[in-house]
Amino acid sequence: MVDIAERPARLAGPPTVPRAAADHAAPGRVSRLLGVGARVLHRTVAIAALAAIWEGAPRLGLVDRVFLPPLSEVLVAWWELLRSGQLAEHVGASLTRSLAGLGLAVLTAIPLGLLIGWYRPLAELLSPLLEVFRNTAALALLPVFVLILGLGETSKIALVLYACSWPILLNTIAGVKGVDPLLIRSARSMGLNHLRLFQKVILPAAVPTIFTGVRLAGAYSILVLVAAEMVGAKAGLGYLINYAQYNFAIADMYSGIITISAIGLVVNQLLVALERRFSTWRVDVSAG
């Protein structure tokens, strides 16, 4: 019989991690954390500098604090608007109009852009009309939308739809026309029909350019809407800014401006994440 005490030592307990491996893993984690911290600091240093200048310039008398209050006072006013529920009401009204117009623009401009970019006769037919309207500023047509559609929600959503359609439409057309002809010829030589060619080659290659147009449209949807809300609106961030200016509530006015900037940043980041989701096949040449 074999004595239990004579069993190999490796059966007496669980295997242990070598000390050298553990010592090597700890500096690796520290270096990764330091790298993340350095990237965060690099991305926020400009914002921090702007905040410091905004806070210090009025307090040092470099600018009149009546017209440009310190950032801390603006943030206090922003918190009061948020706590009272006014800010949520205005943000909700603006986002509803903005997202409705942007969504309609995506649903209409992308299919139309794909058709125009793919079928040359249609592009030749509509090109003069597109050139006329693409050079007409959306805000210049605001009185027209108000006269035809009234001062209600319809005119504001229609104005956002008009403003957002052009960057999406033009970038979609450019994305389809910019596909490498060698890819198209290679796909055709493999026997793909027009539908499969469009699905497997044209559309994936045009996705990055299309999303560039969608991101531009996302910014336009906020900017154009704010201007439209200053005319005949009873709620919205544009109305808040205009009302605060007329009542000389300067801190509230800057609170609305900061909120618009934050919404634009969040919308842009969401669109960037969505673009990455639909462009997983792309290689990031700037990485590394």
Side-chain angles (χ1 to χ4, degrees):
M1 297 179 64
V2 179
D3 192 355
I4 297 178
E6 296 179 358
R7 289 181 179 178
R10 60 185 177 85
L11 299 179
T16 59
V17 179
R19 183 182 182 89
D23 293 341
H24 179 72
R29 289 194 295 269
V30 173
S31 62
R32 286 195 296 270
L33 291 175
L34 291 176
V36 172
R39 287 194 296 270
V40 171
L41 180 62
H42 180 72
R43 290 174 179 270
T44 58
V45 63
I47 299 296
L50 175 61
I53 294 172
W54 189 348
E55 180 69 25
R59 296 188 181 278
L60 296 175
L62 300 179
V63 295
D64 191 343
R65 64 186 301 162
V66 174
F67 301 106
L68 183 64
L71 179 60
S72 58
E73 295 182 7
V74 174
L75 293 179
V76 170
W78 183 89
W79 176 251
E80 290 298 326
L81 288 172
L82 180 64
R83 190 174 62 175
S84 65
Q86 296 181 53
L87 188 63
E89 177 186 355
H90 294 304
V91 169
S94 292
L95 283 181
T96 300
R97 298 161 181 159
S98 176
L99 294 179
L102 178 61
L104 290 173
V106 169
L107 293 176
T108 56
I110 289 180
L112 181 59
L114 293 174
L115 289 174
I116 295 175
W118 183 243
Y119 295 106
R120 182 173 297 179
L122 184 61
E124 294 175 351
L125 175 65
L126 297 179
S127 180
L129 190 62
L130 296 179
E131 291 297 325
V132 170
F133 281 101
R134 67 178 292 186
N135 293 302
T136 304
L139 292 179
L141 296 176
L142 176 59
V144 178
F145 282 97
V146 171
L147 286 173
I148 297 175
L149 302 175
L151 289 172
E153 300 296 310
T154 306
S155 61
K156 296 175 179 58
I157 294 176
L159 184 65
V160 174
L161 168 61
Y162 177 85
C164 294
S165 294
W166 295 108
I168 298 175
L169 178 65
L170 297 176
N171 278 273
T172 302
I173 295 172
V176 174
K177 290 185 176 181
V179 178
D180 191 350
L182 290 177
L183 291 177
I184 299 176
R185 285 198 291 268
S186 299
R188 284 175 173 167
S189 66
M190 296 174 64
L192 293 182
N193 56 31
H194 286 285
L195 181 60
R196 298 292 291 175
L197 174 64
F198 188 83
Q199 180 184 1
K200 295 296 184 180
V201 178
I202 303 298
L203 189 57
V207 162
T209 308
I210 293 173
F211 267 98
T212 299
V214 174
R215 289 172 61 186
L216 289 173
Y220 292 168
S221 67
I222 300 294
L223 299 177
V224 172
L225 178 63
V226 168
E229 288 177 339
M230 293 182 178
V231 180
K234 296 300 181 183
L237 291 172
Y239 169 78
L240 171 64
I241 295 172
N242 203 34
Y243 179 83
Q245 178 196 6
Y246 279 125
N247 289 274
F248 216 71
I250 305 301
D252 290 350
M253 181 187 74
Y254 284 109
S255 298
I257 295 172
I258 289 177
T259 304
I260 291 170
S261 300
I263 291 174
L265 180 62
V266 171
V267 169
N268 182 71
Q269 292 302 314
L270 290 175
L271 291 175
V272 169
L274 190 62
E275 177 183 1
R276 291 172 180 170
R277 171 66 179 82
F278 284 96
S279 305
T280 53
W281 53 272
R282 297 177 64 196
V283 178
D284 188 1
V285 296
S286 63

